[in-house]
Amino acid sequence: MSTSATAGEVQTIVAARLLAGAPSCFIGVGGPSTAAILARAIVNPDLVLVYESGTIGAKPYRIPLSIGDGELAATADFVVPVVEMFNYWIQPGRIDMAFLGAAQIDREGSLNTTVIGDYDAPKTRLPGAGGAPEIATGCDRVMVVAPHAKRTFVERLDFLTTRAAPEAVITDLGVLAPDPEAGGELALTHIHPGVTVDAVRDATGWELRVAADLRTTEPPTDEELSALRELVAR
Amino acid sequence: MSTSATAGEVQTIVAARLLAGAPSCFIGVGGPSTAAILARAIVNPDLVLVYESGTIGAKPYRIPLSIGDGELAATADFVVPVVEMFNYWIQPGRIDMAFLGAAQIDREGSLNTTVIGDYDAPKTRLPGAGGAPEIATGCDRVMVVAPHAKRTFVERLDFLTTRAAPEAVITDLGVLAPDPEAGGELALTHIHPGVTVDAVRDATGWELRVAADLRTTEPPTDEELSALRELVAR
Amino acid sequence: MAEIVELREAVAELVGDGDSVAMEGFTHLIPFAAGHEIVRQGRRDLELIRMTPDLVYDQMLGMGCARRLVFSYGGNPGVGSLHRFRDAIEHGWPVPVEIEEHSHAGMANRYAAGAAHLPFGLLRGYAGTDLTKHTNVKTVTCPFTGEELAAVPALHPDVAIVHAQEADRRGNVQLWGIPGVQKEAVLSAARSLVTVERLVDELVPRPGGIVLPGWVIDAIAVAPRGAHPSYAHDLTDRDNDFYQQWDIISRDRDDFRAWMDEHVLDAEVTA
Amino acid sequence: MAEIVELREAVAELVGDGDSVAMEGFTHLIPFAAGHEIVRQGRRDLELIRMTPDLVYDQMLGMGCARRLVFSYGGNPGVGSLHRFRDAIEHGWPVPVEIEEHSHAGMANRYAAGAAHLPFGLLRGYAGTDLTKHTNVKTVTCPFTGEELAAVPALHPDVAIVHAQEADRRGNVQLWGIPGVQKEAVLSAARSLVTVERLVDELVPRPGGIVLPGWVIDAIAVAPRGAHPSYAHDLTDRDNDFYQQWDIISRDRDDFRAWMDEHVLDAEVTA
């Protein structure tokens, strides 16, 4: 690998590593999808990928643009209707882990994907809930993947779309996790190589706690980075 | 056809005739199944046969012993799980007509298939409800097929399994239908050829009303009878 | 993740005295081999759950395996009575059996609620029947329309047992033909056992095929013809003659016991 | 019984101004051809219902067809915003649009309740979210456990429109691949239209195939490539490039209108 990893690449690789050992993972669109597909390549070849379109056990060769690309259905162990997906698979907690994204996250880890500004007179109308509220309550473990910025990590959500209690929030600057000694408030537990704590604090809209044993993320290995780049290039 | 029709054959043929023009028919085990399959042969080739095992549009060549014989699934337009059958097809009234049997029928047309004697100390324990309670309320039109006897046509049911309001009750002696002038009580509207009104009254456990315009059933034609016998012989 | 084991071992591991056991298969794919193994292992005090008890529960009731039966249609389909079922309920032979009965729609929605981890299922049902006085059904009021609907409690068996055509070597199962409530039974249960006609290297998706992934199953056991006298669509035929013979075999207690001795208790396990 | 008719005729017959219209297809089999025909016929004041509005409703909203939108995820999947959807909600352009939004689980259960002719659907959902203040969701209490659950009102659209791979000449439809909520949409609606890639003499059952019988469908119209830029599994591919181009085409009101003029309003109907 000639060039070093970008912040986004580190974020995706760190997210993928967290899937080691997970039996199954529920995937939304965008960044989380790349991380989960990468996880199958680098840490967890048996990971069952579940997309809310109804494809269970999909084995995509390329990163799909949508959660319903044809390759997902073609490579799935089985495909179920949406009603069955939510009622028989997500709601009972059969899918171990979920990767979610968000436009806003608060210090508890709750998410906004609905609106920036007032609901009835929005500044920016976002897509809305999708499957997230019930995925977050149905899956045992929730991971959030989001870019680290003040407008994303906010003191107060404009709208609470999804009450999540993420085990980890993986950003392009570091990793946040609930601090049991602070009532579960998200605290910085890892910073990515080359990132300073001040930079993370500056990109966070609340007074960010830092874990006593703050660590630096293990840098991407050549194998991880080349697997990711090869996947993205397909 | 050398021999004349038996009472049972007349009953089946009369039941089959009532299916003329019906789009779809729900079928329990036993006699009603034969009538519905016969209907496809003699009066209604497009009749959609629906069995509670989940087979919709079955086209059995032989009379199945059970409602789940392999031929039903093999010839069906489609097959659905039991939950879907009851929730998406029966409950919303998508199946036009139902044929039900019973061990006891009262003058309102309600049915007992649960128990003879006391529920907690039964004289005869019967199979129970099966699909009948919801089939009777889901389907627009209900027909009951039962042998005519005092122990079947009773003043008072030992157990009300299915609240039905049958359009017709087809027996081996005649046909009963609700009399609007008697609050919907079942009255004798047809007697089969060779049967007397007294014989029907004697075989009924309540004071049976007789319709003012009582008619004699049109005798089975040679075509009907040979179609039935051919079907039974297969 | 499903382990592929001997039927004997699977039953010993998964089915204990006093367990609630749901063995499903609606006319098709009835898990007789597993039922016989439970009889051979002498399980007692089971709560047996099944929409249509059929011959498999007639046999288990007649052998005294159950303290309780939950069902919706206890007949020999197209033939008549289930004599052991009747004898158990009418005369408590060989042991008294408590019953809880529902309609098919009620049972199906109980399984569906169990599979969805909802506490109850919702239907228009049981209206105006005597069933409501004798079974576990309540009403809920629609918060939008005020309409009253029937509510049935979710089923959560300790063990579900179903039979299927095939499993792959990773324990994924495919069944096709009449699908019944097998998926719901497995998903509603705490543990599950699937007996299969055959193992295959790879499941080839079939029209009407239903897949149960290995990660919702505890054990797979190979039991060829394990649904007899029921059947496995495309592989075996329903033995309608046997269903008719059963009416005679099962009518008398001694004849029944003799048949069970010969064909079940003393039988070589084939798999 | 389904009649096989021209798409133009089907839309004229089945979709009226002010109707509630559910056009389903979860990423796959989105009925674009029917959406374009509705635009060409100048329908107004529709209540548009769809879990994922996608480009098809972005186009219809931008053309001013709707007074109301019921949905659960209004994004361009994998790309970003739906600009016409945003403009309609943020600025009321070209006409104000009232919204009612749910979660996917809520919408799916609303369709399922509609298909089952139940007044409401039941789920563990919406808990602790601001959605409850802004949408139509209530609670019911389990009569067995006392647990509070979310209740969502059944959907009963005036018309459902879906796209499928094929129909036979009697109007029976088969679709396969990602099945979405198409069956529930059709079964919950008072009327239904299915556009298909092709007519066949006989439906050959497919793995994963879902059959909708002709007797629950009002009209079938042949519309080859009628899901583009969505797709019909095994027959056409998703046009991911177009989904990305749409982000640019739809950003500006004039560009959007020009594109719609050229590709929809002035387009020759192909079927």
Side-chain angles (χ1 to χ4, degrees):
Chain A
M1 207 49 46
S2 49
T3 60
S4 65
T6 67
E9 285 173 336
V10 174
Q11 180 182 24
T12 300
I13 289 166
V14 169
R17 288 174 184 166
L18 291 170
L19 283 163
S24 53
C25 180
F26 194 93
I27 300 151
V29 283
S33 180
T34 307
I37 298 168
L38 179 63
R40 281 178 53 85
I42 63 172
V43 292
N44 190 346
D46 294 327
L47 178 67
V48 175
L49 303 186
V50 181
Y51 289 82
E52 72 194 347
S53 56
T55 56
I56 298 181
K59 300 158 203 74
Y61 175 76
R62 298 175 58 185
I63 299 164
L65 181 65
S66 83
I67 54 155
D69 280 23
E71 195 193 358
L72 298 177
T75 62
D77 290 332
F78 59 117
V79 182
V80 299
V82 174
V83 175
E84 177 177 332
M85 174 57 83
F86 281 96
N87 291 1
Y88 285 3
W89 299 94
I90 294 170
Q91 182 165 270
R94 295 185 212 284
I95 315 303
D96 183 60
M97 192 188 269
F99 264 31
L100 299 174
Q104 291 184 335
I105 306 166
D106 70 13
R107 62 176 79 205
E108 323 257 88
S110 286
L111 310 177
N112 174 19
T113 54
T114 300
V115 69
I116 304 296
D118 183 59
Y119 185 80
D120 293 312
K123 189 164 154 252
T124 305
R125 174 63 219 200
L126 304 169
E134 288 78 17
I135 290 162
T137 49
C139 296
D140 278 352
R141 306 171 64 196
V142 173
M143 306 283 174
V144 175
V145 178
H148 216 130
K150 264 204 159 73
R151 61 173 196 166
T152 305
F153 288 77
V154 296
E155 180 66 43
R156 202 185 150 74
L157 300 177
D158 289 358
F159 190 99
L160 198 166
T161 312
T162 299
R163 187 168 287 286
E167 194 174 297
V169 179
I170 304 105
T171 80
D172 45 352
L173 300 182
V175 178
L176 283 63
D179 181 348
E181 292 180 15
E185 183 180 314
L186 292 174
L188 185 67
T189 60
H190 294 76
I191 46 172
H192 296 331
V195 175
T196 65
V197 171
D198 280 350
V200 183
R201 281 195 165 126
D202 282 351
T204 306
W206 70 80
E207 200 61 44
L208 181 66
R209 284 172 183 274
V210 177
D213 60 341
L214 177 72
R215 295 185 217 173
T216 299
T217 306
E218 201 63 45
T221 64
D222 282 357
E223 290 70 24
E224 288 171 331
L225 202 51
S226 67
L228 172 57
R229 287 178 182 172
E230 192 189 307
L231 176 62
V232 170
R234 276 173 190 169
Chain B
M1 208 48 43
S2 49
T3 60
S4 66
T6 67
E9 285 173 336
V10 174
Q11 181 183 24
T12 299
I13 288 166
V14 169
R17 287 173 184 165
L18 290 170
L19 282 164
S24 53
C25 181
F26 194 93
I27 301 150
V29 283
S33 179
T34 307
I37 297 168
L38 180 64
R40 281 179 52 88
I42 63 172
V43 292
N44 191 348
D46 294 327
L47 178 66
V48 175
L49 302 187
V50 181
Y51 290 81
E52 69 193 348
S53 56
T55 56
I56 299 181
K59 300 158 203 77
Y61 174 75
R62 299 175 57 186
I63 299 164
L65 180 67
S66 84
I67 54 156
D69 280 21
E71 195 193 359
L72 299 175
T75 62
D77 291 332
F78 59 116
V79 182
V80 299
V82 174
V83 176
E84 178 176 333
M85 174 58 83
F86 281 96
N87 290 0
Y88 286 3
W89 299 94
I90 293 170
Q91 181 165 271
R94 295 184 211 285
I95 315 303
D96 185 59
M97 192 187 274
F99 264 30
L100 299 174
Q104 291 184 333
I105 307 166
D106 70 11
R107 63 176 77 204
E108 324 256 271
S110 285
L111 311 176
N112 174 17
T113 55
T114 301
V115 70
I116 304 297
D118 182 59
Y119 185 80
D120 293 313
K123 192 165 152 249
T124 305
R125 174 62 220 202
L126 304 169
E134 288 77 19
I135 291 162
T137 49
C139 296
D140 279 353
R141 306 170 63 195
V142 173
M143 306 285 176
V144 175
V145 178
H148 216 130
K150 264 205 161 71
R151 60 172 196 163
T152 306
F153 289 77
V154 296
E155 180 66 41
R156 199 183 155 75
L157 301 177
D158 290 357
F159 190 98
L160 198 166
T161 313
T162 300
R163 187 167 288 288
E167 193 175 297
V169 179
I170 303 105
T171 81
D172 45 350
L173 300 182
V175 177
L176 283 62
D179 182 347
E181 292 181 12
E185 183 179 312
L186 291 174
L188 185 67
T189 60
H190 294 75
I191 45 172
H192 296 329
V195 175
T196 66
V197 170
D198 280 350
V200 183
R201 280 195 166 126
D202 282 351
T204 305
W206 70 81
E207 199 61 44
L208 183 65
R209 288 172 179 271
V210 177
D213 60 342
L214 178 74
R215 296 183 215 172
T216 300
T217 305
E218 202 64 46
T221 64
D222 283 355
E223 291 71 24
E224 288 171 330
L225 204 49
S226 66
L228 173 56
R229 289 177 180 173
E230 195 188 304
L231 176 62
V232 170
R234 275 173 193 173
Chain C
M1 207 64 191
E3 275 190 276
I4 298 169
V5 295
E6 296 290 312
L7 178 56
R8 190 181 328 204
E9 190 188 329
V11 166
E13 180 84 10
L14 294 172
V15 184
D17 286 349
D19 279 352
S20 62
V21 182
M23 302 175 67
E24 280 295 348
F26 202 92
T27 315
H28 175 223
L29 289 174
I30 301 178
F32 274 91
H36 291 174
E37 184 57 32
I38 290 171
V39 168
R40 273 191 296 271
Q41 295 194 14
R43 287 288 166 281
R44 286 292 174 274
D45 295 325
L46 301 177
E47 176 180 60
L48 292 178
I49 305 170
R50 217 181 118 74
M51 293 183 65
T52 60
D54 203 276
L55 273 47
V56 66
Y57 278 9
D58 208 40
Q59 296 171 352
M60 293 171 76
L61 289 167
M63 296 305 286
C65 299
R67 66 177 156 81
R68 194 163 195 273
L69 176 69
V70 180
F71 72 103
S72 42
Y73 181 85
N76 180 341
V79 178
S81 288
L82 291 176
H83 299 292
R84 297 298 99 223
F85 159 91
R86 281 186 56 184
D87 203 7
I89 296 172
E90 293 171 8
H91 311 110
W93 190 92
V95 291
V97 173
E98 189 191 324
I99 58 171
E100 177 182 339
E101 65 183 302
H102 286 269
S103 64
H104 278 347
M107 281 293 280
N109 279 291
R110 295 188 68 194
Y111 276 120
H117 282 211
L118 289 172
F120 72 99
L122 196 65
L123 70 156
R124 294 181 199 279
Y126 297 84
T129 75
D130 287 340
L131 278 168
T132 54
K133 295 175 216 155
H134 295 278
T135 195
N136 196 6
V137 56
K138 300 195 176 190
T139 57
V140 287
T141 304
C142 172
F144 301 101
T145 64
E147 191 186 350
E148 281 218 337
L149 297 152
V152 286
L155 279 170
H156 288 298
D158 294 317
V159 199
I161 303 177
V162 303
H163 187 72
Q165 281 94 340
E166 60 192 22
D168 67 21
R169 286 166 210 285
R170 293 174 302 142
N172 301 308
V173 165
Q174 183 172 226
L175 62 90
W176 63 94
I178 291 169
V181 287
Q182 281 97 310
K183 181 182 269 192
E184 286 79 9
V186 168
L187 296 184
S188 69
R191 305 186 292 276
S192 61
L193 161 63
V194 183
T195 55
V196 295
E197 292 288 325
R198 65 189 182 198
L199 286 180
V200 295
D201 287 329
E202 192 85 32
L203 297 180
V204 177
R206 300 265 179 169
I210 287 187
V211 171
L212 293 167
W215 39 278
V216 299
I217 299 167
D218 291 282
I220 309 274
V222 180
R225 301 191 57 78
H228 180 270
S230 172
Y231 68 109
H233 198 96
D234 284 340
L235 303 186
T236 66
D237 289 321
R238 191 172 192 270
D239 188 347
N240 283 342
D241 290 345
F242 185 83
Y243 272 88
Q244 282 166 319
Q245 288 161 25
W246 186 252
D247 189 59
I248 297 153
I249 296 165
S250 64
R251 210 172 271 264
D252 176 86
R253 293 173 183 176
D254 292 335
D255 292 349
F256 161 73
R257 279 288 170 96
W259 190 93
M260 290 297 289
D261 279 347
E262 183 181 344
H263 295 92
V264 176
L265 293 178
D266 300 338
E268 282 299 310
V269 185
T270 54
Chain D
M1 208 64 192
E3 277 189 276
I4 298 168
V5 297
E6 296 288 313
L7 178 56
R8 192 181 326 207
E9 191 188 328
V11 166
E13 181 83 12
L14 294 173
V15 185
D17 286 348
D19 279 353
S20 62
V21 182
M23 303 175 68
E24 279 296 348
F26 201 91
T27 316
H28 176 222
L29 289 173
I30 300 176
F32 274 90
H36 291 174
E37 184 58 31
I38 290 171
V39 167
R40 273 191 297 272
Q41 295 194 15
R43 286 288 167 280
R44 286 293 174 273
D45 295 325
L46 301 177
E47 177 180 59
L48 292 178
I49 305 170
R50 215 180 120 71
M51 292 182 66
T52 59
D54 204 275
L55 273 47
V56 67
Y57 277 11
D58 207 43
Q59 294 171 352
M60 293 171 76
L61 289 166
M63 296 305 285
C65 298
R67 68 178 155 80
R68 194 163 195 275
L69 176 68
V70 180
F71 72 103
S72 43
Y73 181 85
N76 180 343
V79 178
S81 288
L82 291 175
H83 298 293
R84 298 298 99 226
F85 159 90
R86 283 186 55 184
D87 204 9
I89 296 172
E90 294 172 9
H91 311 109
W93 191 89
V95 291
V97 173
E98 189 191 323
I99 58 171
E100 177 183 339
E101 65 184 303
H102 287 267
S103 66
H104 278 348
M107 281 294 281
N109 279 291
R110 297 188 67 192
Y111 276 119
H117 281 212
L118 289 172
F120 72 99
L122 196 65
L123 69 156
R124 293 183 201 276
Y126 297 84
T129 75
D130 287 341
L131 279 167
T132 54
K133 297 174 214 158
H134 294 279
T135 195
N136 196 7
V137 55
K138 300 194 177 190
T139 56
V140 287
T141 303
C142 172
F144 301 99
T145 64
E147 190 185 351
E148 282 220 334
L149 297 152
V152 286
L155 279 169
H156 288 298
D158 294 316
V159 199
I161 304 177
V162 301
H163 187 71
Q165 280 94 341
E166 60 192 23
D168 68 20
R169 287 167 209 284
R170 296 172 303 141
N172 301 308
V173 164
Q174 182 172 227
L175 62 91
W176 63 93
I178 291 170
V181 288
Q182 280 96 310
K183 182 181 268 192
E184 287 80 8
V186 167
L187 296 183
S188 69
R191 304 186 293 278
S192 61
L193 161 62
V194 182
T195 55
V196 293
E197 291 289 324
R198 64 189 184 200
L199 287 181
V200 295
D201 287 328
E202 193 84 32
L203 297 181
V204 177
R206 300 266 178 167
I210 285 187
V211 170
L212 293 167
W215 41 277
V216 299
I217 299 167
D218 291 281
I220 308 274
V222 180
R225 302 191 57 78
H228 180 268
S230 172
Y231 69 108
H233 198 94
D234 284 339
L235 303 185
T236 65
D237 288 321
R238 190 171 194 268
D239 189 347
N240 282 342
D241 290 344
F242 186 84
Y243 273 87
Q244 283 169 316
Q245 285 161 27
W246 186 252
D247 189 58
I248 296 154
I249 296 165
S250 64
R251 211 171 268 266
D252 175 87
R253 291 172 180 174
D254 292 337
D255 291 350
F256 162 73
R257 279 289 169 95
W259 190 92
M260 290 298 288
D261 279 348
E262 184 182 342
H263 295 92
V264 177
L265 294 178
D266 299 340
E268 281 301 309
V269 185
T270 53

